[in-house]
Amino acid sequence: MKKEGEIRIPSGCAISGIFSKSGKLMSGEAIIKSIETMHDRSNGLGGGFAGYGIYPEYKDLYAFHLFYEDQNARVECERFLERHFDLVNLSKIPIHKTPKITNEPLMWRYFVNPLPTKLKDSQLDEQEFVVRCVIKINTEIEGAYVFSSGKNMGVFKAVGFPEDVGRFFRLEEYEGYSWTAHGRYPTNTPGWWGGAHPFAMLDLSVVHNGEISSYDANRRFIEMFGYKCNLLTDTEVITYIIDFLSRKQGLKLEEVAEVIAAPFWSTIDSQSSTEKERLTYLRNVFSSLLITGPFSLLVGFEGGLMAINDRLKLRSMVIGEKDDKVYFASEECAIRVIEPELDKVWTPKGGEPVIVTLEGSEA
């Protein structure tokens, strides 16, 4: 019989993040090393990364990353893109072949801008136009899937252990001011390329450790506003919830956190009358967007990064600081392996968002 402490029982999935508040660019090598330390928290069925600031030469264009099942899907999707966007540059996503990553789909990258005539005819703002095009591709073009669509950022994900995924996509050749990573341990859905984390919409990306019990209620609500949850996974619906609240409803990220990890009613009752009224309003108006169950999230966005746990802190999250950099991980070892000497290290409270932004910018 093994003694207590000799058997490692991970709580499934690993997340890690690095952010430079000064905007200093970092290669993807450090985030690969960080997530590799938590190898045993995933099972080889999904790994992925998001990098911000990685496309400075195309920073004003939307960078679409696509998976294709076959050439027919690619031809049909490119016809759609040509009808709706100005394609400034397109190419295969560079990879380094390895026996540890197999059965890869076709992977292409497009730098695009909406065609002015199409945008005008749509009577939509630019971001909503792009979102609807992404959803249309993912819903109606068989064998095509847009897994990244932001400006000056990109998502890279696959079936495999995350450290192998990072080297497969040659992330050491990219430089960004913000990186997030995920090692997946699927619970309800099979491991496949599209289902790996991060999930993204425009410049928003989410990596998630946990399993939410509110999925059906959240999905039914969010799909009333044009989103389509094609992948049947909780991280997809979390991404759409945050996009809806921040982009469509105009909530600040602190308010988004107060919706998805809302304070308990007993906590709200103990607040001042003004604060009680505000928190009650958010809980009542967005009651269907409360996320229940164990989770820890890293939410990347242009110019910033947010970390948040569920209200009961049922999933781990450690944060460290050193000079201008902030580190996030499921385990402290994943921070110490890339920055042994920290100025500060702590674990945030349940439901308490930790938001970092570039110097001079706001969330």
Side-chain angles (χ1 to χ4, degrees), residues 52 153 199-206 239 242-243 246 299-301:
Y52 289 79
M153 62 83 64
F199 281 83
M201 182 58 75
L202 297 175
D203 72 309
L204 181 75
S205 68
V206 176
T239 305
I242 297 173
D243 177 70
S246 60
V299 182
F301 56 94

Side-chain angles (χ1 to χ4, degrees), residues 51 66 69 107 116 120 144 149 167 194 196-197 218 222 270 300 303 306 321 343 350 353 357:
L66 277 103
E69 289 184 2
M107 293 174 289
K120 183 179 179 181
S149 56
R167 296 183 179 108
H197 301 201
N218 298 151
I222 207 65
S270 67
M306 176 174 79
E321 291 186 14
D343 297 330
T357 59

Side-chain angles (χ1 to χ4, degrees), residues 137-330:
I137 292 170
N138 291 349
T139 304
E140 299 182 14
I141 301 181
E142 186 175 354
Y145 179 60
V146 182
F147 62 98
S148 186
S149 56
K151 289 184 176 182
N152 202 14
M153 62 83 64
V155 168
F156 306 86
K157 59 184 184 177
V159 172
F161 284 102
E163 61 269 25
D164 299 325
V165 173
R167 296 183 179 108
F168 172 79
F169 280 111
R170 298 160 52 174
L171 295 189
E172 68 278 1
E173 299 176 15
Y174 295 81
E175 290 190 326
Y177 62 83
S178 177
W179 289 96
T180 62
H182 186 265
R184 193 173 186 218
Y185 198 110
T187 50
N188 291 324
T189 52
W192 76 287
W193 289 63
H197 301 201
F199 281 83
M201 182 58 75
L202 297 175
D203 72 309
L204 181 75
S205 68
V206 176
V207 292
H208 167 217
N209 169 20
E211 181 179 2
I212 65 173
S213 55
S214 56
Y215 171 79
D216 279 331
N218 298 151
R219 177 189 57 78
R220 287 194 298 268
F221 182 92
I222 207 65
E223 286 192 337
M224 292 192 296
F225 297 91
Y227 298 94
K228 300 294 181 184
C229 295
N230 300 311
L231 303 182
L232 305 178
T233 181
D234 43 15
T235 315
E236 180 185 33
V237 78
I238 291 171
T239 305
Y240 295 159
I241 286 171
I242 297 173
D243 177 70
F244 171 77
L245 291 172
S246 60
R247 182 175 60 87
K248 289 192 172 185
Q249 298 299 309
L251 270 61
K252 296 181 179 180
L253 280 175
E254 291 90 345
E255 296 169 325
V256 171
E258 289 167 342
V259 170
I260 65 175
F264 293 103
W265 287 114
S266 57
T267 303
I268 293 175
D269 288 339
S270 67
Q271 304 298 309
S272 66
S273 58
T274 301
E275 187 67 0
K276 179 179 178 180
E277 182 180 5
R278 187 183 69 85
L279 293 172
T280 299
Y281 173 82
L282 290 174
R283 283 216 61 173
N284 287 336
V285 171
F286 301 112
S287 58
S288 295
L289 299 183
L290 171 66
I291 298 173
T292 59
F295 67 83
S296 60
L297 305 175
L298 287 180
V299 182
F301 56 94
E302 182 183 2
L305 189 59
M306 176 174 79
I308 186 169
N309 282 117
D310 63 84
R311 299 177 297 178
L312 295 176
K313 199 169 176 59
L314 298 173
R315 286 293 182 267
S316 57
M317 174 78 73
V318 181
I319 302 176
E321 291 186 14
K322 176 67 174 181
D323 300 328
D324 78 311
K325 292 187 178 65
V326 186
Y327 303 88
F328 308 79
S330 299

